[in-house]
């Protein structure tokens, strides 16, 4: 099977799962994926906020299939069950967009609280491990699947007060690139014409901004920030290129310094 895309930003017939779908970035992704014609399967631990996000995407794009599933992504078996249910119900999975986030920091390196690491390791690393392990098989079987991780520039250039956050993001990136290598190997020998069975891509931002933030801080510049709508557009665009071009790569939406 191959993802039913036609190269013009459409994802008609594709089935895309979104982890961490209830936040501003998740809402924007649901809206854009639904607009592109995908069947969207959204998951979050917050059932109420998830229901609001799903309803908003359905309302904005009448006729779109957008469903919500409350999933504890810190539970590997629950995450595997989510992937299994999705593939069984829709017959395929063409994407997993990982938007689970979180941040903790300190004023100085010496003031770093290791409790921050314990929290961020769960949110930013463990959830990536669980979704990648659960969705590798379905994405490979789909023939042109995409695993998209949203990361931060700080992973490549950590600062003293962001040690825990940067380390967690860097670990998540490394894990995702290892998944990309698995996709490459599953595709066979490139010398013999083989291509990755799917693609794992890391999308890198400085930070995100959305309309509510601008309303709260009308004088703020948000320099270098990526609007959640632009992030959603970039996510959909990952399907617009061949798997071999985007597999195991970092897509920078902020200046790479």
């Amino acid at each position: 099977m191959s993802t039913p895309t036609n190269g013009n930003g459409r994802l008609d017939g594709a089935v895309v799962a979104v982890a961490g779908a209830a936040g501003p970035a998740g809402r924007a992704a649901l809206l854009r994926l639904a607009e592109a014609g995908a069947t969207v399967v959204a998951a979050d631990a917050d059932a109420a906020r998830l229901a609001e996000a799903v309803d908003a995407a359905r309302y904005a794009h009448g006729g779109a299939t957008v469903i919500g599933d409350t999933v504890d992504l810190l539970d590997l078996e629950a995450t595997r069950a989510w992937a299994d249910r999705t593939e069984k119900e829709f017959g395929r999975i063409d994407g997993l967009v990982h938007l689970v986030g979180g941040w903790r920091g300190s004023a100085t390196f010496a003031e770093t609280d290791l409790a921050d690491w314990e929290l961020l390791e769960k949110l930013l690393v463990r959830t990536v491990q669980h979704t990648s392990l659960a969705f590798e098989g379905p994405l490979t079987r789909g023939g042109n699947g995409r695993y998209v991780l949203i990361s931060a520039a700080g992973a490549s250039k950590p600062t003293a007060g962001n040690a825990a956050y940067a380390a967690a993001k860097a670990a998540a990136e490394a894990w995702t690139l290892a998944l990309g290598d698995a996709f490459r190997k599953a595709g066979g020998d490139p010398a013999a014409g083989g291509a990755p069975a799917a693609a794992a891509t890391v999308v890198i931002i400085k930070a995100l901004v959305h309309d509510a933030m601008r309303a709260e801080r009308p004088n703020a510049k948000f320099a270098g920030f990526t609007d959640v709508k632009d992030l959603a557009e970039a996510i959909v665009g990952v399907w617009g290129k061949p798997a071999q071009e985007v597999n195991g790569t970092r897509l920078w939406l902020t200046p790479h310094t």
Side-chain angles (χ1 to χ4, degrees), residues 176-181 183 198-202 243-250:
T176 300
L177 296 178
L179 172 64
D181 190 52
F183 287 149
T201 303
V202 179
Q244 58 264 35
E245 290 187 17
V246 295
N247 185 46
T249 65
R250 292 179 173 90

Side-chain angles (χ1 to χ4, degrees), residues 5 7 14 24 32 48 81 89 91 112 134 158 169 172 180 211 213 229 247:
T5 59
R32 183 64 185 91
E89 180 172 355
T112 298
K169 281 293 191 183
D211 291 343
M213 289 173 63
K229 298 184 186 71
N247 185 46

Side-chain angles (χ1 to χ4, degrees), residues 49 59 97 193 197 208-209 238 250:
R49 293 177 67 214
Y59 179 80
V97 180
L208 291 172
V209 63
V238 171
R250 292 179 173 90

Side-chain angles (χ1 to χ4, degrees), residues 12-72:
D12 298 299
V15 178
V16 181
V18 180
R27 288 176 176 241
L30 297 188
L31 286 166
R32 183 64 185 91
L33 288 163
E35 180 185 35
T39 292
V40 189
V41 184
D44 202 279
D46 189 321
R49 293 177 67 214
L50 177 63
E52 291 175 2
V54 167
D55 286 346
R58 286 175 179 164
Y59 179 80
H61 304 289
T65 300
V66 185
I67 65 172
D69 204 343
T70 306
V71 181
D72 180 5

Side-chain angles (χ1 to χ4, degrees), residues 213-226:
M213 289 173 63
R214 293 191 179 94
E216 291 172 2
R217 300 170 58 192
N219 297 321
K221 300 297 184 183
F222 298 108
F225 284 38
T226 298

